[in-house]
Amino acid sequence: MTTLPTRPLGATGPRVSALDLGCMGMSALYGGSDRTESIATVHAALDAGVTLLDTGDFYGMGHNELLINEALRTAPTAARARALTSVKFGALRDPDNGWGGYDGRPAAVKNFAAYSLRRLGTDHIDIYRIARVDPGVPIEETVGAIAELVEAGHVRHIGLSEAGAETVRRAASVAPVADLQIEYSLISRGIEDEILPTVRELGIGVTAYGVLSRGLISGHFTRGTELSAGDFRAGSPRFQGENLHHNLGLVDSLRKIAEQKGVTVAQIAIAWVLSRGEDIVPLVGARRRDRLAEALGALDVTLDADDLAAIERAVPAGAAAGDRYPAAQMSQLDSER
């Protein structure tokens, strides 16, 4: 088992490996997945020194938590002992795979936690966060309920997800917040204006998801890539028509820089996020061991001032075409208000 460099999740959170594993794609939203390969990928991540596994209780309606449970139960004892879980809750689903908004009421928070603890097969969750701010419930009440779970020993740390600067301040006034999970990549840089300065002021870390923009800037997605049934990217604005053509043009520019450094497009895109500060921890959504190994290689990529300037010229802030989610989902993001 190897050891990776670590980074702190804010002033009050745990130290975690500098690159961590997002497990959503193993259960939902990207079409079919291979259970055996998914578990093998979790095991490979733990063996490589990854410490944080990120999931949501609504990923596959509990499937993802059960998958992580199985992966941890079958992992070596030492790897299992240092694994941390980050769980998102609050999304309401129906039997037909539909979405029904978010529920941040205190009673619901504790209800969601009870089921997650059982599915994960553990007595505590390391970081617990509502997936999207419930506009019908003050964030103080939602965070207050998680704080009660912390006091009772069922949760170790409080997190936030896709929360705007004002909401982050209100949440932090109730209880210590370890980190904000939010999309951040070369083509999703909206947090830099107000949200990132706010969390830094408050001593809150960032776990960055979508660092490869759902594969769009991984170097593996091409104009001829066909999406399988059930892959939500088929409805994503950035993967549509002229938007896709434009965005893959940005990837072509990034590829030239990667080739000059002898690394892959994915590695340079992840390395860019890593370069943004020690308080930012990227999550990679690898579903296969080869993709995981490629992502971990980003930790060995050093970007100097000339590299960063070249990347900025190739993919300047705001260069992407299309929103990061369809309109209905964008309207649910407190971070975009």
Side-chain angles (χ1 to χ4, degrees):
M1 187 181 303
T2 57
T3 300
L4 296 179
T6 62
R7 292 185 170 188
L9 284 188
T12 63
R15 291 194 72 89
V16 298
S17 52
L19 194 65
D20 290 288
L21 185 63
C23 300
M24 180 189 77
M26 298 176 181
S27 299
L29 301 179
Y30 288 106
S33 61
D34 184 309
R35 184 181 188 86
T36 299
E37 181 62 21
S38 294
I39 291 174
T41 300
V42 174
H43 286 170
L46 296 173
D47 186 60
V50 169
T51 59
L52 185 67
L53 304 177
D54 183 77
T55 184
D57 62 10
F58 52 94
Y59 293 166
M61 276 68 97
H63 177 275
N64 205 238
E65 290 179 320
L66 293 170
L67 184 78
I68 290 173
N69 181 335
E70 182 177 351
L72 290 176
R73 280 190 292 105
T74 54
T77 301
R80 184 168 65 249
R82 67 178 186 174
L84 304 175
T85 53
S86 168
V87 178
K88 291 180 290 297
F89 68 89
L92 302 176
R93 307 298 303 272
D94 66 33
D96 297 319
N97 211 32
W99 298 80
Y102 296 87
D103 192 345
R105 294 171 302 147
V109 172
K110 295 174 181 179
N111 179 75
F112 288 129
Y115 282 91
S116 284
L117 289 166
R118 178 60 62 90
R119 283 189 293 261
L120 288 167
T122 183
D123 62 357
H124 73 274
I125 296 165
D126 292 289
I127 310 163
Y128 202 48
R129 70 188 84 241
I130 190 165
R132 299 288 185 268
V133 176
D134 181 349
V137 178
I139 193 64
E140 291 88 347
E141 294 184 14
T142 301
V143 168
I146 305 176
E148 291 177 4
L149 290 170
V150 171
E151 186 176 356
H154 303 305
V155 169
R156 294 281 169 83
H157 302 281
I158 299 169
L160 296 170
S161 176
E162 288 290 353
E166 179 186 352
T167 301
V168 171
R169 287 190 184 280
R170 290 168 50 200
S173 72
V174 175
V177 174
D179 70 320
L180 169 67
Q181 187 173 121
I182 196 163
E183 186 168 353
Y184 189 38
S185 74
L186 268 169
I187 63 171
S188 295
R189 296 175 60 175
I191 72 169
E192 293 177 346
D193 296 333
E194 186 178 6
I195 294 173
L196 189 53
T198 298
V199 297
R200 284 178 165 162
E201 174 193 337
L202 297 172
I204 296 171
V206 171
T207 40
Y209 76 89
V211 294
L212 296 178
S213 198
R214 298 158 187 82
L216 182 58
I217 59 172
S218 68
H220 300 296
F221 200 95
T222 70
R223 292 168 177 82
T225 298
E226 295 185 5
L227 298 175
S228 61
D231 192 321
F232 86 108
R233 292 176 293 182
S236 173
R238 290 183 175 173
F239 288 82
Q240 305 299 308
E242 287 302 314
N243 287 351
L244 177 63
H245 181 77
H246 170 85
N247 293 332
L248 289 179
L250 299 176
V251 177
D252 290 339
S253 298
L254 190 61
R255 192 186 307 276
K256 295 175 183 177
I257 301 170
E259 289 174 349
Q260 290 172 357
K261 288 191 68 68
V263 301
T264 69
V265 176
Q267 287 169 342
I268 205 163
I270 296 168
W272 181 87
V273 178
L274 285 163
S275 77
R276 305 308 280 178
E278 288 290 316
D279 55 349
I280 296 174
V281 176
L283 299 172
V284 294
R287 300 193 292 170
R288 296 171 7 202
R289 284 167 286 181
D290 58 339
R291 293 285 196 260
L292 172 68
E294 179 185 20
L296 290 171
L299 292 167
D300 297 321
V301 178
T302 300
L303 300 177
D304 60 25
D306 290 339
D307 295 327
L308 292 171
I311 292 170
E312 191 73 28
R313 289 192 297 270
V315 190
D323 287 333
R324 56 195 182 101
Y325 286 104
Q329 294 179 47
M330 287 293 290
S331 69
Q332 298 174 335
L333 297 176
D334 184 77
S335 57
E336 295 287 342
R337 293 174 187 158

